Each structure stands twice: as C-alpha cells, then as structure tokens.
Amino acid sequence: MDNLRIDNLSWRFILVWNRNMVVYRKIWFVNFLVPLLEPIMYLAAFGIGLSALIHKVSYQGTPVSYVLYIAPALVAITIMYNAFFENTYASFVRMYYQKTFDAMMTTPLSLEDIIAGEIFWGATKSVIAAAIVLGVITCFGLVSFPSGLLVLPVSFLGGLAFGTVGMIFTGLTPTIDMYNLPIFLFITPMFLFSGTFFPTSTLPGWAQKLALALPLTHVVNLCRAFFLGKTSLGLAWSVLYITAMFILLFPVALIVMRKRLIS
Amino acid sequence: MSTHIPQIIRASHLGKKFGSLQAVDDLSFELTPGECLGLLGPNGAGKTSTIRMTYGFSPITSGKLEIFGLDINTQWRRIRAKIGVCQQENNLDPDLTVLQNLEVFARYFSIPGKEARDRAIQLLKFISLENRKDDKVTNLSGGMVRRLVLARALINSPDLLILDEPTTGLDPQARHQLWERLELLQKNGLSILLTTHYMDEAARLCDRLIIMDQGKILVEGKPAEIIHTHVGDHVVEIADPDEEVREFVTAHGFLHDLLDRRIIIYGNEADKLFEVIGDRFCRESCIKRLATLEDVFLRLTGRGLKE
C-alpha cells in the first residue's frame, strides 16, 4: 500500500481546481454551448420524433408522457459525460502532453492534491452543465419545483463518482486512443441501459439486476424522482450507492496515479 | 576545526534505484548558501535523478537528503515552498497567458491575488516580457519561454533555485540573455543548483562543479582548479600525427589522448619541453589553445557515445 498516501491530501486541492476554473472562464461561451443546445436536440428528436410512436410510459404506476420520461435522463447523462470526459481526455492532456502536473509538483502541491483537484473540478463541470440543462428543460415546462433543484447536489455527487472512474482509467491507459475501450464497455452501455430511454423493468430479470449495478441507473433514478416531484425514502439507496462508489474508488484513483507518475 | 554553516543542501550517501538500475550511487555533496553548484555528466549520469530528489519529486531510495536542514522525506512541502525549479521540459501552461502563468503558479504557493499580480509584473520586467503579458505562451520564442520558466521559478522568492539544463536548445543570444539574469540572481545571493551539458555554461556560472558518471562523483572542485589538476593549462592538438610525434610524447611521458586521427597533448606552456612540441611538430592542422572543462569532461567520462 506504498502508493496510497492519503496523508498527502490537503486543502490545497482547491488551488488545482482554481487553475482549471481560470481556464474554463476564458472560453466559457464555448463551454456553455454544448449543454445549452444538446438537450434541445434530444428533446426535439425523442420528444417530437419518438413521441409519435410512444405515447405514455409508466413511472411508479402513473403514466407519464415520453418527453417527460426522458428529460431527467438527459441531465443524468450530462452529469456522467462531463465528469468522465473531463477526468479522462482533458486530465490526460494536462498530465501527459502539457506536463501541467509535473510543474505543479515543484510547488507545495502533492500529487494527491492534484488528483483530488482534478476530480473535484470534473464534478464542478457536471454541476455547471447540469444547471444549464436543467434551465433549458425548465423552459419546456418539464420540471417540478422546488424538488427539481435537488438534481444540483446529485450532479455534484454523480460528478465525483464518474470523474473518479475516469481518473482511474487515466492512471492506467497507455495512450489517449485507448479511452475508446472504457467508453465502449462502460459509458455507452450505461447511456443505453440505465433506465434512460426506457424503463429497466422491460429488461429480462438478469439484465435488470445488472442495470441496478450501473451507477448511472441511480443517478437517473434520482433525477427522475426530483424532476417529477416524486421524492421517497427509497432514493436514499441510490444516494448511498453513488457515495459508496466514490469513497471506495477515490483511493484507487490516487494509487494508480501515484504508480503512474512517481518513480 | 569544524565550522558550523547551515547548508542549503546536504546529501549524504544518497542513492536512487529504478528496478535494478542504480541511477544514483552513494552520492554525497553539499551546497553552501550563495553558492552555484553545477552537476555535469553525460546522459544517464544521474544528474536529473539527483535533481528530482532534491525537490521531492522522486522519492530517495537510500541515504539522507536535507534541504535547508529539513528532511526531504517528511518536510517536502515546507522545502518546496522555499525553492524554485526549472524542469528540463518547458511545461508552461499553454491554456493560460504569459501573466496568468505566473499568477496561477503564485496561487500554488498560497500567495494572495494582489501580491501575486505585483510579483508577476515585477518578474516580467526582469525577463523583459512585460509587453507580452497577455500573449499566449505558444506564441513565444524558445528563449522567451525559457525566461518565463525562470520567472515562474522565482515567483515564490525562493532561497534555492534548481535548474535542469536551463539553456538546452537555445540560440547563443537567448543563452546569454538567460545567463545574464542568472548572474544577477547569484550576485543577490541566491543559491543555485544546476545541471548542464555545456561546459562553457558550467565554467561561467558555477562556483563549484561535480562531474559525475554512472551515478557516482568523478571529480569535485572549482572549475579552474579542476582543469589545472586534471589536464593542466594548455593543450596542443595535432591532426594526423606521424610516428615521430607519438614517440616524442610517449618518451617524455606527456599526458595525452591518441584518437583515430588526432593526438591531444596536455601540458603547461611554462614547461620548456611542452613548448618544444609546439615548435617542432606544430605545422598546419595543429591547434594550440587553453585547456577547457570540456577536456577534463571528455578525459573523465570517455569519448564513446553514451547512449
């Protein structure tokens, strides 16, 4: 366990977060554009296109319109994509091509501060993007308030979990092209089978259990409940699942990155 | 008699192992306040490994390493707060402007915003880049980039500056620009540890040198002393030497290197016999010159390719 140095972790991770925020603000317009336009495209395609074929989907025994069904999933997917891509491609570029981490490690920042700062930043990007998507969907009248606002803390928690998974791949991937593999094996199946575009209850029994193991399923659960104003105590399990995932995998991310960068 | 000066760096029996490769082997040296110490050596000699240990980037395998009297293993954060490092690679932040590179870096040292800006502006003046402060760093020339890396290393007003091959790849103008600034810093009492492949750079900037190879120290001393001790003061180089020269040199026991098509003879001009070589054998394709650090370096570390 030589590579797990939790004692190196300090408040200074916020300085790494700050560096990324400075860069983000320079091109904020481009950064805002994707979460602004993407949900409109999805709502147009699925809402107008597919709604003609699928009228109602059953959610907790009540039929809801298809557009209302998928709208919260769009936020959940945004949360996953933003943190995961930030802590894979973007972190890899900073680590490998720009040697930003190397320069930081000549200052009082530890490697652990840097990794924590990167993951924290990934989660922040999830929150910003989720807030924009939430705003857009609200304009279409598809969100119940005030419960809808609860997707913001969910986006932070989900961002931490997906970012941590991304960071583990960053610690392990030999080249930037190899990210195709975790995307194909992990991200795409979640995008499709986490109760995003159809209820998991339509899947065969074994696949339902498998879907329950996917973190996105839980983020979708939470977002949908908050969007539709159907909060219940059962949601605590989803919160617990995502939190546990982050807490258990965060040390793994620290270990693989230390193994990769310190020799 | 033992004097008690607090050393900037005190390395004793320092070792670094990468798997089975002993990159640094039982290295002991000190750097006294205000001194510029140069680490010379061919590629793979262990210079960068040594330097990386001194700023706590690379954990030490064996021995003891103290900076400002603090143990690098446990006090690395306090140590790093008081050192400036120019790594071998130019790792300026391409996502930020020239000024932002300094400001954001200052934040890593917990220097507050206002002070960070003041120091950044001041340092940009020092490296003559104040009129480029809003430029992207990707638009700077190689020499400007190197100067900015130096400014960034000075943002925390360090007590020790660590430079890993500071002028590799620069044109002569850019090299001199950088040297002048380093000399100024030295004059102000900054302690410097540097590695270099350039003997003229080492001779010009360093008060004391360590020539190392395969992780070990070969020689240590002041540049002029090292030259004097190891190759004398003067050199005669003769291309395509005939039998007569070679016999003369061997017969009189001159320090020399016989290469494929060249003989290099080391000596002292005050030495009458050495003068004879110049008079008798020095025709065309012969050079008489002062001995340099490069002569010492090549004698000690060999002339074969190192990689």
Side-chain angles (χ1 to χ4, degrees):
Chain A
M1 278 313 220
D2 255 10
N3 285 308
L4 183 59
R5 300 287 301 276
I6 292 285
D7 55 315
N8 274 348
L9 203 56
S10 76
W11 61 269
R12 290 178 181 80
F13 78 90
I14 204 76
L15 302 171
V16 178
W17 179 91
N18 175 64
R19 179 258 169 221
N20 290 334
M21 184 52 119
V22 169
V23 176
Y24 181 86
R25 276 164 45 191
K26 285 171 75 122
I27 46 165
W28 66 271
F29 185 72
V30 182
N31 284 320
F32 275 24
L33 225 50
V34 174
L36 206 63
L37 298 180
E38 207 175 44
I40 299 176
M41 279 200 267
Y42 272 104
L43 287 177
F46 290 88
I48 301 167
L50 276 179
S51 281
L53 306 171
I54 314 157
H55 299 291
K56 297 277 179 196
V57 182
S58 169
Y59 175 69
Q60 292 184 353
T62 0
V64 295
S65 78
Y66 189 61
V67 135
L68 204 57
Y69 184 79
I70 64 155
L74 298 182
V75 181
I77 290 163
T78 299
I79 293 167
M80 172 174 79
Y81 276 179
N82 271 274
F84 187 82
F85 283 99
E86 185 63 25
N87 289 140
T88 49
Y89 288 102
S91 288
F92 190 87
V93 166
R94 288 191 282 273
M95 169 187 78
Y96 187 85
Y97 294 103
Q98 304 185 356
K99 311 276 179 209
T100 310
F101 298 178
D102 285 2
M104 287 173 174
M105 275 187 277
T106 68
T107 75
L109 295 170
S110 67
L111 177 69
E112 286 70 19
D113 295 333
I114 297 168
I115 301 311
E118 289 280 308
I119 291 172
F120 197 66
W121 169 248
T124 306
K125 269 192 89 171
S126 288
V127 174
I128 300 171
I132 296 170
V133 174
L134 179 69
V136 172
I137 297 176
T138 302
C139 295
F140 287 86
L142 300 171
V143 189
S144 300
F145 283 102
S147 65
L149 285 173
L150 286 172
V151 303
L152 294 179
V154 170
S155 65
F156 185 69
L157 189 61
L160 287 178
F162 289 117
T164 301
V165 173
M167 193 50 89
I168 291 172
F169 287 120
T170 298
L172 298 173
T173 192
T175 67
I176 198 164
D177 301 315
M178 291 289 274
Y179 282 127
N180 291 334
L181 206 63
I183 289 169
F184 173 70
L185 293 174
F186 180 68
I187 298 297
T188 307
M190 280 203 285
F191 173 77
L192 294 170
F193 299 108
S194 299
T196 41
F197 301 109
F198 57 88
T200 50
S201 58
T202 58
L203 293 168
W206 62 269
Q208 281 187 38
K209 282 186 189 125
L210 207 63
L212 217 56
L214 299 175
L216 188 63
T217 303
H218 298 278
V219 178
V220 170
N221 267 347
L222 292 167
C223 288
R224 191 164 282 139
F226 296 145
F227 261 50
L228 298 173
K230 303 229 170 177
T231 46
S232 66
L233 216 57
L235 295 174
W237 287 110
S238 286
V239 174
L240 205 68
Y241 188 87
I242 305 164
T243 312
M245 188 176 141
F246 166 62
I247 291 174
L248 292 175
L249 292 182
F250 180 65
V252 179
L254 294 183
I255 290 170
V256 294
M257 288 304 285
R258 181 162 274 274
K259 258 191 155 150
R260 173 170 201 137
L261 292 177
I262 307 291
S263 61
Chain B
M1 196 180 81
S2 82
T3 45
H4 213 81
I5 320 162
Q7 302 293 5
I8 298 290
I9 300 178
R10 178 173 277 141
S12 45
H13 308 290
L14 193 58
K16 180 72 200 180
K17 237 176 158 171
F18 295 108
S20 61
L21 174 81
Q22 189 80 46
V24 176
D25 191 1
D26 199 31
L27 199 69
S28 295
F29 68 93
E30 291 184 348
L31 191 151
T32 53
E35 186 182 36
C36 175
L37 175 66
L39 295 180
L40 303 182
N43 287 332
K47 305 184 300 290
T48 298
S49 298
T50 304
I51 267 201
R52 283 185 166 185
M53 286 189 279
T54 58
Y55 62 88
F57 184 88
S58 184
I60 68 176
T61 313
S62 55
K64 197 167 165 61
L65 180 59
E66 287 179 343
I67 320 286
F68 313 124
L70 303 168
D71 190 328
I72 192 73
N73 284 330
T74 53
Q75 306 281 324
W76 58 271
R77 250 197 243 268
R78 280 178 67 196
I79 293 168
R80 282 194 198 163
K82 288 165 66 186
I83 61 175
V85 183
C86 293
Q87 288 163 318
Q88 218 173 87
E89 281 152 324
N90 287 326
N91 48 22
L92 292 172
D93 204 321
D95 295 331
L96 301 171
T97 65
V98 169
L99 181 66
Q100 282 177 325
N101 256 280
L102 298 182
E103 283 184 323
V104 168
F105 215 72
R107 301 290 296 139
Y108 300 156
F109 290 94
S110 313
I111 300 167
K114 170 82 174 69
E115 194 185 342
R117 158 115 2 163
D118 291 347
R119 282 197 201 184
I121 298 280
Q122 208 181 337
L123 282 167
L124 285 179
K125 278 186 191 140
F126 175 65
I127 58 163
S128 314
L129 276 183
E130 69 267 39
N131 55 348
R132 303 293 294 270
K133 70 179 170 59
D134 296 319
D135 259 2
K136 293 176 81 168
V137 293
T138 39
N139 293 340
L140 301 181
S141 70
M144 291 175 182
V145 164
R146 231 38 192 131
R147 261 147 52 207
L148 186 55
V149 170
L150 173 66
R152 193 181 65 177
L154 295 170
I155 197 79
N156 56 328
S157 314
D159 294 333
L160 168 65
L161 183 62
I162 297 176
L163 307 159
D164 197 358
E165 296 186 18
T167 62
T168 299
L170 297 188
D171 65 26
Q173 283 81 2
R175 262 158 52 107
H176 283 268
Q177 285 266 343
L178 199 75
W179 285 349
E180 274 167 30
R181 283 162 177 91
L182 290 175
E183 281 168 339
L184 229 113
L185 293 167
Q186 249 182 304
K187 218 177 261 169
N188 293 332
L190 186 61
S191 308
I192 299 175
L193 174 67
L194 80 87
T195 73
T196 181
H197 282 304
Y198 301 120
M199 299 303 133
D200 50 344
E201 181 166 280
R204 176 163 168 179
L205 295 175
C206 300
D207 304 307
R208 205 156 51 84
L209 298 175
I210 289 173
I211 300 183
M212 57 190 293
D213 198 10
Q214 293 173 348
K216 289 192 174 75
I217 294 180
L218 298 178
V219 244
E220 191 178 345
K222 293 190 161 77
E225 282 175 13
I226 290 180
I227 298 169
H228 185 76
T229 318
H230 290 271
V231 293
D233 299 326
H234 296 91
V235 173
V236 174
E237 277 189 50
I238 303 171
D240 297 315
D242 52 24
E243 199 61 30
E244 207 188 340
V245 187
R246 279 186 271 167
E247 269 172 20
F248 184 87
V249 168
T250 330
H252 291 89
F254 278 107
L255 189 65
H256 70 281
D257 286 316
L258 187 61
L259 314 182
D260 278 351
R261 303 198 48 200
R262 180 175 284 268
I263 189 164
I264 304 173
I265 309 147
Y266 307 98
N268 198 320
E269 222 162 43
D271 181 353
K272 282 276 177 280
L273 217 50
F274 186 72
E275 217 177 314
V276 172
I277 298 173
D279 295 343
R280 262 173 65 187
F281 305 108
C282 222
R283 287 175 285 271
E284 72 270 28
S285 63
C286 162
I287 309 161
K288 279 195 267 184
R289 59 174 174 82
L290 290 172
T292 66
L293 212 46
E294 190 137 339
D295 296 315
V296 182
F297 186 84
L298 289 172
R299 290 226 82 212
L300 291 175
T301 61
R303 287 173 187 271
L305 278 176
K306 288 288 178 176
E307 284 176 322

